[in-house]
Amino acid sequence: MLIAIPLLFIPVAFYAIVVLSGWMGTGGGVAAAEQALRDPLFSIPMVSGSGWNVGTGDLILFLGLILLFFELLKSTSSQKVAIVNHALSMILFVFCLVAFLLFPGFATSTFFLILTMVMLDVLAGFIVTIISARKDLEFGAG
């Protein structure tokens, strides 16, 4: 049953942990939460001589993109657990949308991109399910 849990829950949870720990940290407030997402964790030297600074928000987005790929692969499954996954993905999307609209620490570009990934997962899941059901219906009618 763990396969029914949307993988995109992981970056949402990481984001919430980073924002809430930055919000309740020493500086407090939304500015501290946004700064916690932007502060570079490490820098990768480039051939051009400059450094590529990678922050917490960047890593969360990278993880989200990788997990979105696997969620899209899962959405092509026609198992019964896929319906539960679609429903949980919709609940996650509603939660993310409410958080984005109502909580100041979640009104950032990083969380908006996470919200967009969750929305794409929901849309892909429903579209793939509808198309596969339509093909099953056409096949059964003949």
Side-chain angles (χ1 to χ4, degrees), residues 18-90:
V18 169
V19 166
L20 293 176
S21 65
W23 204 5
M24 297 177 187
T26 56
V30 177
E34 289 180 357
Q35 193 62 36
L37 290 168
R38 279 193 224 116
D39 284 343
L41 293 174
F42 56 90
S43 181
I44 300 173
M46 305 303 284
V47 177
S48 65
S50 64
W52 174 31
N53 294 327
V54 179
T56 306
D58 301 327
L59 289 178
I60 292 172
L61 287 175
F62 180 66
L63 174 67
L65 287 171
I66 291 171
L67 293 177
L68 177 62
F69 172 74
F70 288 110
E71 275 294 317
L72 293 176
L73 290 178
K74 276 180 22 179
S75 71
T76 62
S77 170
S78 61
Q79 299 175 354
K80 291 180 182 177
V81 73
I83 302 299
V84 176
N85 180 288
H86 298 330
L88 291 176
S89 293
M90 179 60 96

